Amino acid sequence: MELNVTELSVARGGLPVLEGVSLSLAPGQALVLRGPNGSGKTTLLRTIAGLQPALAGNVTGAEDRIAYAGHADGLKAMLSVSENLTFWAAVFGTRHVDAALAAFALEPLADRLAGTLSAGQKRRLGLARLLVTGRPIWVLDEPTVSLDADAVTLFADAVRAHLAGGGMALIATHIDLGLEAAVLDVTPHRVVLDAARLGASDEAFL
Amino acid sequence: MRALLVRDLRLALRAGGGFGLGLAFFLIVVVLVPFSVGPQSELLGRIAAGVLWLAALLACLLSLDRILALDFEDGTLDVLATAPLPLEAALSVKALAHWLTTAVPLVVAAPVLAVLLNLPAAGYGGLVLSLLLGTPALSVIGTFGAALTVGIKRGGLLLSLLVLPLYVPTLIFGAEAARRSADGLDATTPLLMLAGISAGVLALMPFASAAVLRVNLR
């Protein structure tokens, strides 16, 4: 089933940031979001993932099918790498974490506490979590932050394998992952706020 | 759900989990009360039930902001919100984990510490029973408060101000039940009221907690 987003408007902190965004993803497809800092990529991804309501527009085909990876990895410093993954696997109703460990070269680190990992290793563990969710749509916000070149290749391979298995991926990133993916630049959809609209949406006076 | 419970218990018991925080606070308060009140064992015996209940309530309050704040900071709540587990269930499990790690040790320690306060022998059963019935309400209401203040850095003060009024009925009936049984009177009515409060908030609060958490995750 496709993911369809039609005429979506999203807001952050009560202010609209993007409007009229439409996109669609079929199984096996990936879409890369681009746009300068603060252009609303994160807000758009969070809205599509269902973490916040849209101002207008529709998202269909996303219900219970999205694995979201934001800036934070959702890891516990005092749990080991495999304990962290096993927990997320159990929450999402899957069992096998070995493939996810292997895909991101985490096997030698499996018994280390997540708190003792480097930033790049933590990021790899955060991305390995996507594999154990078993969900078809990956919504990724800057997934390659703090990854080195080898790890970026691992990540691109994981995305390719996911797409080859009929998955979908929506990725906000600035670097070229070498994926055959369509690119959506959000810049034309940015909302330019004038003074009147700023005043009208001041939450303190609502 | 079991995975979440196991994870929360494991985190609480490992270094830095804050497992002993509430218990240590409870211990300190109860040990210091006889020093501040003075060596009047008859007076101590009369206030023992109230002091123990108040100390248990404050010890619970102390650990509330840990229920959700850490999971919010590291992004766990974002992922949980998109997981197949309903947020209501996840928050109920987190409240249960808080009860098991904070309130149950207090219930176990209370009869031991009651000796220090010269609680009359008849009151031990009522004290433990009232704490067992009342503390689940403290954990569930506390989870609601934690969900309300989760986005706020250092929200502990606001959390206390919001939660304390909601704790008052539990405190009144809990302390009343413990006091009546210490005086050798029938404590059935306050115990039933206490059980009613706990059952009510257990049934309703998770929905309120999940609703405010969804707003806070935006």
Side-chain angles (χ1 to χ4, degrees):
Chain A
M1 199 169 90
E2 289 190 358
L3 170 72
N4 279 307
V5 173
T6 42
E7 292 296 316
L8 194 69
S9 296
V10 298
R12 180 174 168 82
L15 297 175
V17 288
L18 290 174
E19 59 188 11
V21 180
S22 296
L23 56 92
S24 83
L25 271 179
Q29 286 185 343
L31 180 67
V32 172
L33 288 182
R34 290 199 200 278
N37 290 147
S39 58
K41 299 186 296 293
T42 298
T43 311
L44 177 62
L45 291 180
R46 289 180 68 89
T47 308
I48 292 173
L51 287 166
Q52 60 180 68
L55 281 184
N58 283 310
V59 179
T60 54
E63 190 81 0
D64 277 341
R65 298 173 71 226
I66 283 186
Y68 172 76
H71 297 292
D73 291 315
L75 303 176
K76 288 293 167 195
M78 292 311 291
L79 295 181
S80 75
V81 169
S82 59
E83 280 171 339
N84 267 303
L85 271 188
T86 310
F87 164 67
W88 286 118
V91 167
F92 283 88
T94 59
R95 273 160 194 280
H96 303 292
V97 300
D98 297 341
L101 284 174
F104 285 93
L106 288 164
E107 286 143 324
L109 305 169
D111 294 323
R112 284 261 295 276
L113 290 182
T116 64
L117 299 180
S118 76
Q121 289 169 333
K122 277 184 192 160
R123 193 72 214 180
R124 265 152 61 198
L125 177 52
L127 294 171
R129 195 194 66 218
L130 295 167
L131 290 172
V132 304
T133 59
R135 292 233 165 138
I137 308 172
W138 288 2
V139 173
L140 312 177
D141 194 1
E142 303 282 359
T144 53
V145 170
S146 62
L147 290 183
D148 61 19
D150 290 346
V152 169
T153 313
L154 282 178
F155 167 67
D157 290 344
V159 173
R160 253 182 235 111
H162 179 63
L163 298 177
M168 298 170 241
L170 187 57
I171 307 170
T173 183
H174 288 103
I175 69 162
D176 186 14
L177 293 168
L179 296 171
E180 291 186 12
V183 173
L184 175 70
D185 193 338
V186 298
T187 316
H189 299 287
R190 290 180 76 170
V191 178
V192 182
L193 292 170
D194 51 45
R197 273 177 93 173
L198 268 177
S201 55
D202 192 340
E203 284 198 336
F205 297 100
L206 284 179
Chain B
M1 281 174 84
R2 221 184 63 210
L4 184 59
L5 181 65
V6 169
R7 184 198 74 139
D8 270 19
L9 294 181
R10 196 180 268 162
L11 282 172
L13 293 174
R14 289 201 179 164
F19 168 69
L21 181 70
L23 188 60
F25 178 82
F26 187 58
L27 194 88
I28 290 167
V29 171
V30 175
V31 168
L32 288 182
V33 163
F35 292 118
S36 61
V37 170
Q40 307 165 53
S41 54
E42 190 264 338
L43 174 63
L44 271 176
R46 263 193 289 138
I47 62 171
V51 167
L52 284 164
W53 249 97
L54 183 61
L57 184 144
L58 293 177
C60 261
L61 193 65
L62 201 59
S63 51
L64 288 184
D65 63 339
R66 298 188 65 92
I67 299 179
L68 293 174
L70 300 176
D71 280 344
F72 178 76
E73 278 165 21
D74 64 21
T76 305
L77 285 180
D78 282 346
V79 186
L80 271 182
T82 57
L85 186 65
L87 211 47
E88 287 82 0
L91 287 170
S92 304
V93 170
K94 292 193 88 58
L96 174 64
H98 176 260
W99 184 72
L100 287 173
T101 53
T102 308
V104 169
L106 298 184
V107 176
V108 174
V112 182
L113 292 172
V115 176
L116 294 178
L117 296 178
N118 195 30
L119 184 76
Y124 284 82
L127 175 71
V128 172
L129 192 59
S130 67
L131 281 172
L132 265 182
L133 285 176
T135 44
L138 301 184
S139 289
V140 175
I141 296 171
T143 306
F144 169 69
L148 262 180
T149 56
V150 73
I152 306 166
K153 292 259 185 284
R154 312 273 175 274
L157 173 66
L158 189 58
L159 175 60
S160 310
L161 285 174
L162 288 168
V163 161
L164 273 181
L166 300 175
Y167 272 4
V168 168
T170 313
L171 177 66
I172 289 175
F173 289 111
E176 176 71 9
R179 194 166 47 239
R180 282 183 73 87
S181 60
D183 292 343
L185 301 169
D186 177 30
T188 312
T189 310
L191 280 177
L192 286 177
M193 291 297 289
L194 197 60
I197 292 170
S198 283
V201 296
L202 271 172
L204 298 175
M205 271 300 188
F207 295 98
S209 309
V212 293
L213 186 59
R214 283 198 186 96
V215 172
N216 272 335
L217 284 181
R218 279 177 193 175

